[in-house]
Amino acid sequence: MADDGKPGEVTPEEQALADEWAAALEEAGDASQDDIDALLTQDQSARVPMEEFSSSANNVDDGPFQSVDGPNLDVILDIPVTISMEVGNTDITIRNLLQLNQGSVVELDRLAGEPLDVKVNGTLVAHGEVVVVNEKFGIRLTDVISPSERIKKLR
């Protein structure tokens, strides 16, 4: 951050920042001209330029997410995600949607016996087939998409 102006001179960026703070303080109900002046004349040396901050960040320990052997995934293993199985889908008009009632049949875009899509938080991760386990539906994974392929699909 370079100072191109004279010492004590307020730059347009600093004035804009001070105006934002003044509006916020006024909204809070306790703004005074002294508060605004203090914001304008605060010690500029306390601000750290972004370049210095990011270069010093490279020397800091990466915390629990990085170890000598690679990332430590233990910190995220207990985060819940939503897994869903998609039998198929179709597009219908709102008129036809409103006409649906008990016993209506909706034709899907998949053939009978075709694998289901297994999605985690909306991202396709595998394909599978429906099975029954202890009188409950389940899914047997038949094809798991590799992490590298999932990353390629994100781009």
Side-chain angles (χ1 to χ4, degrees):
M1 187 188 239
D3 288 333
D4 295 334
K6 299 173 188 170
E9 187 176 306
V10 177
T11 65
E13 293 85 14
E14 292 172 332
Q15 183 62 45
L17 181 63
D19 292 342
E20 287 180 37
W21 275 103
L25 288 171
E26 188 174 324
E27 192 174 299
D30 59 357
S32 70
Q33 187 61 41
D34 293 336
D35 295 332
I36 296 168
D37 292 339
L39 288 172
L40 286 173
T41 59
Q42 68 184 357
D43 183 18
Q44 297 297 322
S45 65
R47 294 185 184 177
V48 177
M50 190 58 98
E51 296 81 24
E52 287 180 30
F53 177 75
S54 35
S55 65
S56 64
N58 294 334
N59 300 330
V60 176
D61 179 30
D62 289 335
F65 295 105
Q66 189 71 31
S67 67
V68 176
D69 298 328
N72 180 1
L73 298 179
D74 290 340
V75 296
I76 64 168
L77 293 179
D78 291 328
I79 296 174
V81 294
T82 302
I83 184 169
S84 59
M85 289 25 141
E86 188 175 286
V87 176
N89 57 51
T90 190
D91 293 326
I92 62 172
T93 64
I94 294 176
R95 179 183 322 282
N96 290 342
L97 176 66
L98 294 173
Q99 292 174 352
L100 293 177
N101 55 36
Q102 187 173 356
S104 296
V105 176
V106 178
E107 184 178 344
L108 301 177
D109 62 350
R110 299 248 174 126
L111 300 173
E114 205 173 330
L116 283 69
D117 289 341
V118 180
K119 296 183 175 185
V120 174
N121 288 346
T123 301
L124 181 67
V125 296
H127 297 286
E129 59 189 14
V130 177
V131 295
V132 177
V133 180
N134 297 331
E135 298 181 12
K136 292 185 180 181
F137 285 116
I139 188 163
R140 176 182 296 123
L141 300 181
T142 56
D143 179 39
V144 178
I145 297 174
S146 72
S148 60
E149 289 178 31
R150 283 182 259 160
I151 290 171
K152 286 179 188 175
K153 287 183 181 183
L154 292 174
R155 294 179 183 169

Short mmCIF file of all heavy atoms in Angstrom, two decimals, residues 60-116:
data_model
loop_
_atom_site.label_atom_id
_atom_site.label_comp_id
_atom_site.label_asym_id
_atom_site.label_seq_id
_atom_site.Cartn_x
_atom_site.Cartn_y
_atom_site.Cartn_z
N VAL A 60 3.31 -20.27 8.05
CA VAL A 60 2.50 -20.67 9.19
C VAL A 60 2.11 -22.14 9.04
O VAL A 60 1.85 -22.61 7.94
CB VAL A 60 1.24 -19.78 9.28
CG1 VAL A 60 0.34 -20.22 10.40
CG2 VAL A 60 1.64 -18.33 9.46
N ASP A 61 2.01 -22.86 10.16
CA ASP A 61 1.57 -24.25 10.16
C ASP A 61 0.15 -24.32 9.60
O ASP A 61 -0.69 -23.50 9.92
CB ASP A 61 1.61 -24.79 11.59
CG ASP A 61 1.14 -26.23 11.67
OD1 ASP A 61 1.33 -26.97 10.69
OD2 ASP A 61 0.59 -26.61 12.72
N ASP A 62 -0.13 -25.29 8.75
CA ASP A 62 -1.43 -25.41 8.11
C ASP A 62 -2.49 -25.99 9.05
O ASP A 62 -3.62 -26.18 8.64
CB ASP A 62 -1.34 -26.29 6.87
CG ASP A 62 -0.60 -25.59 5.74
OD1 ASP A 62 -0.60 -24.35 5.74
OD2 ASP A 62 -0.02 -26.28 4.89
N GLY A 63 -2.17 -26.28 10.27
CA GLY A 63 -3.15 -26.74 11.23
C GLY A 63 -3.50 -28.20 11.04
O GLY A 63 -2.73 -28.98 10.48
N PRO A 64 -4.71 -28.59 11.46
CA PRO A 64 -5.09 -30.00 11.44
C PRO A 64 -5.35 -30.54 10.04
O PRO A 64 -5.48 -31.72 9.86
CB PRO A 64 -6.37 -30.02 12.27
CG PRO A 64 -6.93 -28.65 12.13
CD PRO A 64 -5.75 -27.74 12.02
N PHE A 65 -5.44 -29.68 9.02
CA PHE A 65 -5.77 -30.15 7.69
C PHE A 65 -4.57 -30.66 6.91
O PHE A 65 -4.72 -31.26 5.88
CB PHE A 65 -6.46 -29.05 6.89
CG PHE A 65 -7.78 -28.66 7.46
CD1 PHE A 65 -7.94 -27.49 8.16
CD2 PHE A 65 -8.87 -29.50 7.32
CE1 PHE A 65 -9.16 -27.15 8.70
CE2 PHE A 65 -10.09 -29.17 7.86
CZ PHE A 65 -10.23 -27.99 8.55
N GLN A 66 -3.37 -30.42 7.36
CA GLN A 66 -2.19 -30.82 6.61
C GLN A 66 -1.20 -31.49 7.54
O GLN A 66 -0.95 -31.03 8.64
CB GLN A 66 -1.54 -29.59 5.96
CG GLN A 66 -0.43 -29.91 4.99
CD GLN A 66 -0.96 -30.55 3.72
OE1 GLN A 66 -2.05 -30.29 3.29
NE2 GLN A 66 -0.18 -31.42 3.13
N SER A 67 -0.64 -32.60 7.10
CA SER A 67 0.39 -33.27 7.86
C SER A 67 1.54 -33.59 6.92
O SER A 67 1.48 -33.33 5.73
CB SER A 67 -0.16 -34.55 8.51
OG SER A 67 -0.47 -35.49 7.51
N VAL A 68 2.58 -34.22 7.44
CA VAL A 68 3.74 -34.56 6.61
C VAL A 68 3.33 -35.52 5.50
O VAL A 68 3.80 -35.41 4.37
CB VAL A 68 4.84 -35.19 7.50
CG1 VAL A 68 6.01 -35.65 6.66
CG2 VAL A 68 5.29 -34.19 8.56
N ASP A 69 2.43 -36.46 5.80
CA ASP A 69 2.03 -37.47 4.82
C ASP A 69 0.93 -36.99 3.89
O ASP A 69 0.59 -37.68 2.95
CB ASP A 69 1.54 -38.72 5.56
CG ASP A 69 2.64 -39.34 6.40
OD1 ASP A 69 3.82 -39.22 6.00
OD2 ASP A 69 2.32 -39.92 7.44
N GLY A 70 0.34 -35.84 4.12
CA GLY A 70 -0.75 -35.34 3.30
C GLY A 70 -1.85 -34.79 4.18
O GLY A 70 -1.67 -34.63 5.38
N PRO A 71 -3.01 -34.52 3.60
CA PRO A 71 -4.10 -33.94 4.38
C PRO A 71 -4.62 -34.91 5.43
O PRO A 71 -4.70 -36.11 5.20
CB PRO A 71 -5.17 -33.61 3.35
CG PRO A 71 -4.82 -34.41 2.14
CD PRO A 71 -3.35 -34.70 2.20
N ASN A 72 -4.99 -34.36 6.58
CA ASN A 72 -5.57 -35.15 7.66
C ASN A 72 -7.08 -35.04 7.53
O ASN A 72 -7.67 -34.02 7.87
CB ASN A 72 -5.10 -34.61 9.02
CG ASN A 72 -5.67 -35.38 10.17
OD1 ASN A 72 -6.42 -36.34 9.98
ND2 ASN A 72 -5.35 -34.96 11.37
N LEU A 73 -7.72 -36.09 7.04
CA LEU A 73 -9.16 -36.06 6.78
C LEU A 73 -10.00 -36.38 8.01
O LEU A 73 -11.21 -36.31 7.94
CB LEU A 73 -9.50 -37.03 5.65
CG LEU A 73 -8.84 -36.72 4.31
CD1 LEU A 73 -9.23 -37.77 3.27
CD2 LEU A 73 -9.21 -35.34 3.82
N ASP A 74 -9.36 -36.71 9.13
CA ASP A 74 -10.11 -37.06 10.34
C ASP A 74 -11.04 -35.93 10.78
O ASP A 74 -12.09 -36.19 11.37
CB ASP A 74 -9.16 -37.41 11.49
CG ASP A 74 -8.45 -38.74 11.25
OD1 ASP A 74 -8.95 -39.53 10.43
OD2 ASP A 74 -7.39 -38.97 11.88
N VAL A 75 -10.68 -34.70 10.51
CA VAL A 75 -11.49 -33.57 10.98
C VAL A 75 -12.79 -33.44 10.21
O VAL A 75 -13.72 -32.79 10.68
CB VAL A 75 -10.71 -32.24 10.90
CG1 VAL A 75 -9.53 -32.26 11.83
CG2 VAL A 75 -10.26 -31.94 9.49
N ILE A 76 -12.92 -34.06 9.04
CA ILE A 76 -14.16 -33.94 8.27
C ILE A 76 -14.96 -35.23 8.19
O ILE A 76 -16.05 -35.24 7.63
CB ILE A 76 -13.87 -33.42 6.84
CG1 ILE A 76 -13.03 -34.41 6.06
CG2 ILE A 76 -13.23 -32.05 6.88
CD1 ILE A 76 -12.95 -34.11 4.58
N LEU A 77 -14.44 -36.32 8.73
CA LEU A 77 -15.10 -37.61 8.58
C LEU A 77 -16.47 -37.70 9.24
O LEU A 77 -17.29 -38.53 8.86
CB LEU A 77 -14.19 -38.73 9.08
CG LEU A 77 -12.93 -38.95 8.24
CD1 LEU A 77 -12.09 -40.08 8.84
CD2 LEU A 77 -13.28 -39.27 6.80
N ASP A 78 -16.77 -36.87 10.22
CA ASP A 78 -18.05 -36.92 10.92
C ASP A 78 -19.05 -35.89 10.41
O ASP A 78 -20.13 -35.73 10.99
CB ASP A 78 -17.84 -36.74 12.42
CG ASP A 78 -17.13 -37.94 13.03
OD1 ASP A 78 -17.33 -39.06 12.52
OD2 ASP A 78 -16.38 -37.76 14.01
N ILE A 79 -18.73 -35.20 9.31
CA ILE A 79 -19.66 -34.23 8.74
C ILE A 79 -20.75 -34.98 7.99
O ILE A 79 -20.46 -35.80 7.12
CB ILE A 79 -18.94 -33.26 7.80
CG1 ILE A 79 -17.93 -32.42 8.58
CG2 ILE A 79 -19.94 -32.36 7.07
CD1 ILE A 79 -17.06 -31.54 7.72
N PRO A 80 -22.03 -34.73 8.31
CA PRO A 80 -23.10 -35.45 7.62
C PRO A 80 -23.30 -34.93 6.19
O PRO A 80 -23.16 -33.75 5.92
CB PRO A 80 -24.34 -35.15 8.47
CG PRO A 80 -24.02 -33.90 9.20
CD PRO A 80 -22.53 -33.85 9.36
N VAL A 81 -23.61 -35.85 5.28
CA VAL A 81 -23.93 -35.52 3.89
C VAL A 81 -25.24 -36.22 3.54
O VAL A 81 -25.64 -37.18 4.19
CB VAL A 81 -22.82 -35.95 2.92
CG1 VAL A 81 -21.55 -35.15 3.16
CG2 VAL A 81 -22.54 -37.42 3.00
N THR A 82 -25.90 -35.75 2.51
CA THR A 82 -27.15 -36.36 2.05
C THR A 82 -26.87 -37.25 0.86
O THR A 82 -26.30 -36.81 -0.14
CB THR A 82 -28.16 -35.26 1.66
OG1 THR A 82 -28.38 -34.42 2.78
CG2 THR A 82 -29.46 -35.87 1.19
N ILE A 83 -27.23 -38.52 0.99
CA ILE A 83 -27.05 -39.46 -0.11
C ILE A 83 -28.45 -39.78 -0.65
O ILE A 83 -29.38 -40.00 0.13
CB ILE A 83 -26.30 -40.74 0.34
CG1 ILE A 83 -26.03 -41.64 -0.85
CG2 ILE A 83 -27.01 -41.45 1.45
CD1 ILE A 83 -25.07 -42.78 -0.55
N SER A 84 -28.59 -39.76 -1.97
CA SER A 84 -29.89 -40.03 -2.57
C SER A 84 -29.72 -40.95 -3.77
O SER A 84 -28.66 -40.97 -4.39
CB SER A 84 -30.57 -38.72 -3.00
OG SER A 84 -29.77 -38.03 -3.92
N MET A 85 -30.75 -41.71 -4.06
CA MET A 85 -30.75 -42.61 -5.19
C MET A 85 -31.81 -42.11 -6.16
O MET A 85 -32.95 -41.90 -5.79
CB MET A 85 -31.13 -44.04 -4.77
CG MET A 85 -30.11 -44.81 -3.97
SD MET A 85 -28.97 -43.86 -3.04
CE MET A 85 -28.82 -44.76 -1.57
N GLU A 86 -31.42 -41.93 -7.41
CA GLU A 86 -32.34 -41.40 -8.40
C GLU A 86 -32.73 -42.50 -9.37
O GLU A 86 -31.89 -43.04 -10.09
CB GLU A 86 -31.66 -40.24 -9.14
CG GLU A 86 -32.58 -39.50 -10.07
CD GLU A 86 -31.90 -38.29 -10.68
OE1 GLU A 86 -31.71 -37.30 -9.96
OE2 GLU A 86 -31.55 -38.37 -11.86
N VAL A 87 -34.01 -42.85 -9.37
CA VAL A 87 -34.53 -43.89 -10.25
C VAL A 87 -34.59 -43.36 -11.67
O VAL A 87 -34.29 -44.06 -12.63
CB VAL A 87 -35.93 -44.34 -9.79
CG1 VAL A 87 -36.54 -45.34 -10.75
CG2 VAL A 87 -35.86 -44.91 -8.39
N GLY A 88 -34.95 -42.12 -11.83
CA GLY A 88 -35.05 -41.50 -13.14
C GLY A 88 -35.74 -40.16 -12.99
O GLY A 88 -36.10 -39.75 -11.89
N ASN A 89 -35.95 -39.48 -14.09
CA ASN A 89 -36.66 -38.21 -14.03
C ASN A 89 -37.36 -37.96 -15.36
O ASN A 89 -37.16 -38.68 -16.33
CB ASN A 89 -35.72 -37.05 -13.66
CG ASN A 89 -34.56 -36.92 -14.62
OD1 ASN A 89 -34.75 -36.88 -15.83
ND2 ASN A 89 -33.36 -36.87 -14.09
N THR A 90 -38.20 -36.96 -15.37
CA THR A 90 -38.92 -36.57 -16.57
C THR A 90 -39.34 -35.12 -16.43
O THR A 90 -39.36 -34.58 -15.32
CB THR A 90 -40.16 -37.48 -16.79
OG1 THR A 90 -40.69 -37.23 -18.08
CG2 THR A 90 -41.22 -37.24 -15.75
N ASP A 91 -39.64 -34.50 -17.53
CA ASP A 91 -40.16 -33.13 -17.53
C ASP A 91 -41.64 -33.18 -17.87
O ASP A 91 -42.05 -33.82 -18.85
CB ASP A 91 -39.43 -32.28 -18.58
CG ASP A 91 -37.97 -32.06 -18.23
OD1 ASP A 91 -37.66 -31.96 -17.04
OD2 ASP A 91 -37.14 -31.97 -19.16
N ILE A 92 -42.46 -32.51 -17.05
CA ILE A 92 -43.89 -32.42 -17.34
C ILE A 92 -44.31 -30.97 -17.12
O ILE A 92 -43.63 -30.20 -16.43
CB ILE A 92 -44.74 -33.37 -16.46
CG1 ILE A 92 -44.63 -33.04 -14.97
CG2 ILE A 92 -44.36 -34.82 -16.70
CD1 ILE A 92 -45.61 -33.83 -14.11
N THR A 93 -45.43 -30.63 -17.69
CA THR A 93 -45.94 -29.27 -17.53
C THR A 93 -46.62 -29.13 -16.17
O THR A 93 -46.99 -30.14 -15.54
CB THR A 93 -46.97 -28.94 -18.63
OG1 THR A 93 -48.09 -29.82 -18.48
CG2 THR A 93 -46.35 -29.08 -20.01
N ILE A 94 -46.77 -27.93 -15.73
CA ILE A 94 -47.46 -27.69 -14.46
C ILE A 94 -48.91 -28.18 -14.56
O ILE A 94 -49.45 -28.73 -13.60
CB ILE A 94 -47.39 -26.19 -14.08
CG1 ILE A 94 -45.94 -25.82 -13.78
CG2 ILE A 94 -48.29 -25.88 -12.90
CD1 ILE A 94 -45.71 -24.37 -13.49
N ARG A 95 -49.53 -28.03 -15.72
CA ARG A 95 -50.91 -28.51 -15.92
C ARG A 95 -50.99 -30.01 -15.63
O ARG A 95 -51.84 -30.47 -14.88
CB ARG A 95 -51.37 -28.21 -17.35
CG ARG A 95 -52.77 -28.70 -17.66
CD ARG A 95 -53.20 -28.46 -19.11
NE ARG A 95 -52.73 -27.20 -19.69
CZ ARG A 95 -53.26 -26.00 -19.48
NH1 ARG A 95 -54.28 -25.89 -18.65
NH2 ARG A 95 -52.78 -24.92 -20.06
N ASN A 96 -50.05 -30.78 -16.19
CA ASN A 96 -50.04 -32.23 -15.96
C ASN A 96 -49.68 -32.56 -14.52
O ASN A 96 -50.20 -33.53 -13.96
CB ASN A 96 -49.08 -32.92 -16.92
CG ASN A 96 -49.58 -32.89 -18.35
OD1 ASN A 96 -50.76 -32.65 -18.60
ND2 ASN A 96 -48.68 -33.11 -19.29
N LEU A 97 -48.79 -31.76 -13.91
CA LEU A 97 -48.43 -31.98 -12.50
C LEU A 97 -49.65 -31.81 -11.60
O LEU A 97 -49.88 -32.60 -10.69
CB LEU A 97 -47.32 -31.00 -12.10
CG LEU A 97 -46.89 -31.03 -10.64
CD1 LEU A 97 -46.23 -32.36 -10.31
CD2 LEU A 97 -45.95 -29.88 -10.34
N LEU A 98 -50.45 -30.79 -11.88
CA LEU A 98 -51.64 -30.54 -11.06
C LEU A 98 -52.71 -31.61 -11.26
O LEU A 98 -53.58 -31.79 -10.40
CB LEU A 98 -52.21 -29.15 -11.36
CG LEU A 98 -51.31 -27.98 -10.94
CD1 LEU A 98 -51.89 -26.67 -11.44
CD2 LEU A 98 -51.11 -27.96 -9.45
N GLN A 99 -52.67 -32.33 -12.37
CA GLN A 99 -53.66 -33.37 -12.64
C GLN A 99 -53.28 -34.71 -12.02
O GLN A 99 -54.07 -35.65 -12.04
CB GLN A 99 -53.86 -33.53 -14.15
CG GLN A 99 -54.52 -32.33 -14.79
CD GLN A 99 -54.58 -32.43 -16.30
OE1 GLN A 99 -53.99 -33.33 -16.90
NE2 GLN A 99 -55.30 -31.51 -16.93
N LEU A 100 -52.07 -34.84 -11.46
CA LEU A 100 -51.64 -36.11 -10.86
C LEU A 100 -52.48 -36.39 -9.62
O LEU A 100 -52.78 -35.50 -8.83
CB LEU A 100 -50.16 -36.06 -10.47
CG LEU A 100 -49.15 -35.98 -11.60
CD1 LEU A 100 -47.74 -35.86 -11.03
CD2 LEU A 100 -49.26 -37.18 -12.52
N ASN A 101 -52.86 -37.65 -9.45
CA ASN A 101 -53.55 -38.07 -8.24
C ASN A 101 -53.18 -39.51 -7.95
O ASN A 101 -52.36 -40.10 -8.66
CB ASN A 101 -55.07 -37.88 -8.38
CG ASN A 101 -55.63 -38.57 -9.60
OD1 ASN A 101 -55.17 -39.66 -9.97
ND2 ASN A 101 -56.62 -37.96 -10.25
N GLN A 102 -53.76 -40.07 -6.91
CA GLN A 102 -53.41 -41.43 -6.52
C GLN A 102 -53.72 -42.38 -7.68
O GLN A 102 -54.79 -42.33 -8.27
CB GLN A 102 -54.21 -41.84 -5.29
CG GLN A 102 -53.80 -43.17 -4.73
CD GLN A 102 -54.49 -43.46 -3.40
OE1 GLN A 102 -55.22 -42.63 -2.87
NE2 GLN A 102 -54.26 -44.64 -2.88
N GLY A 103 -52.73 -43.20 -8.03
CA GLY A 103 -52.87 -44.15 -9.13
C GLY A 103 -52.30 -43.65 -10.44
O GLY A 103 -52.21 -44.41 -11.40
N SER A 104 -51.93 -42.37 -10.52
CA SER A 104 -51.34 -41.84 -11.75
C SER A 104 -49.99 -42.49 -11.98
O SER A 104 -49.28 -42.85 -11.04
CB SER A 104 -51.13 -40.33 -11.65
OG SER A 104 -52.36 -39.66 -11.54
N VAL A 105 -49.62 -42.66 -13.24
CA VAL A 105 -48.33 -43.23 -13.61
C VAL A 105 -47.53 -42.17 -14.34
O VAL A 105 -48.03 -41.53 -15.27
CB VAL A 105 -48.51 -44.48 -14.51
CG1 VAL A 105 -47.16 -45.01 -14.97
CG2 VAL A 105 -49.30 -45.56 -13.78
N VAL A 106 -46.29 -41.97 -13.90
CA VAL A 106 -45.40 -41.00 -14.53
C VAL A 106 -44.29 -41.79 -15.21
O VAL A 106 -43.58 -42.56 -14.56
CB VAL A 106 -44.80 -40.02 -13.49
CG1 VAL A 106 -43.83 -39.06 -14.16
CG2 VAL A 106 -45.91 -39.26 -12.78
N GLU A 107 -44.13 -41.61 -16.52
CA GLU A 107 -43.11 -42.32 -17.26
C GLU A 107 -41.77 -41.62 -17.05
O GLU A 107 -41.66 -40.40 -17.18
CB GLU A 107 -43.45 -42.32 -18.75
CG GLU A 107 -42.49 -43.13 -19.59
CD GLU A 107 -42.88 -43.14 -21.06
OE1 GLU A 107 -44.03 -42.80 -21.38
OE2 GLU A 107 -42.02 -43.52 -21.87
N LEU A 108 -40.74 -42.38 -16.70
CA LEU A 108 -39.42 -41.84 -16.46
C LEU A 108 -38.52 -42.06 -17.67
O LEU A 108 -38.86 -42.82 -18.58
CB LEU A 108 -38.81 -42.50 -15.21
CG LEU A 108 -39.59 -42.32 -13.92
CD1 LEU A 108 -38.92 -43.09 -12.78
CD2 LEU A 108 -39.73 -40.86 -13.57
N ASP A 109 -37.35 -41.44 -17.65
CA ASP A 109 -36.42 -41.50 -18.78
C ASP A 109 -35.51 -42.73 -18.75
O ASP A 109 -34.61 -42.84 -19.57
CB ASP A 109 -35.58 -40.23 -18.84
CG ASP A 109 -34.71 -40.03 -17.62
OD1 ASP A 109 -34.87 -40.78 -16.62
OD2 ASP A 109 -33.87 -39.12 -17.63
N ARG A 110 -35.73 -43.65 -17.82
CA ARG A 110 -34.88 -44.84 -17.71
C ARG A 110 -35.65 -46.09 -18.10
O ARG A 110 -36.85 -46.18 -17.89
CB ARG A 110 -34.41 -45.02 -16.26
CG ARG A 110 -33.59 -43.89 -15.75
CD ARG A 110 -32.18 -44.35 -15.53
NE ARG A 110 -31.40 -43.18 -15.18
CZ ARG A 110 -30.67 -43.08 -14.11
NH1 ARG A 110 -30.55 -44.08 -13.29
NH2 ARG A 110 -30.00 -41.98 -13.88
N LEU A 111 -34.90 -47.06 -18.59
CA LEU A 111 -35.48 -48.36 -18.89
C LEU A 111 -35.50 -49.21 -17.63
O LEU A 111 -34.67 -49.03 -16.72
CB LEU A 111 -34.65 -49.06 -19.96
CG LEU A 111 -34.54 -48.34 -21.31
CD1 LEU A 111 -33.55 -49.08 -22.21
CD2 LEU A 111 -35.91 -48.24 -21.96
N ALA A 112 -36.42 -50.15 -17.57
CA ALA A 112 -36.49 -51.07 -16.43
C ALA A 112 -35.20 -51.86 -16.37
O ALA A 112 -34.68 -52.32 -17.39
CB ALA A 112 -37.69 -52.00 -16.58
N GLY A 113 -34.63 -52.01 -15.18
CA GLY A 113 -33.39 -52.75 -15.00
C GLY A 113 -32.14 -51.92 -15.16
O GLY A 113 -31.03 -52.38 -14.90
N GLU A 114 -32.29 -50.67 -15.61
CA GLU A 114 -31.14 -49.79 -15.77
C GLU A 114 -30.66 -49.35 -14.38
O GLU A 114 -31.47 -49.19 -13.47
CB GLU A 114 -31.56 -48.57 -16.60
CG GLU A 114 -30.42 -47.89 -17.33
CD GLU A 114 -30.92 -46.80 -18.27
OE1 GLU A 114 -32.05 -46.91 -18.79
OE2 GLU A 114 -30.16 -45.85 -18.46
N PRO A 115 -29.34 -49.16 -14.18
CA PRO A 115 -28.85 -48.78 -12.85
C PRO A 115 -29.36 -47.42 -12.39
O PRO A 115 -29.62 -46.53 -13.21
CB PRO A 115 -27.33 -48.74 -13.01
CG PRO A 115 -27.02 -49.11 -14.40
CD PRO A 115 -28.27 -49.30 -15.15
N LEU A 116 -29.49 -47.29 -11.07
CA LEU A 116 -29.88 -46.02 -10.45
C LEU A 116 -28.66 -45.15 -10.29
O LEU A 116 -27.54 -45.65 -10.19
CB LEU A 116 -30.47 -46.27 -9.06
CG LEU A 116 -31.89 -46.79 -8.94
CD1 LEU A 116 -32.00 -48.20 -9.43
CD2 LEU A 116 -32.34 -46.68 -7.51
#
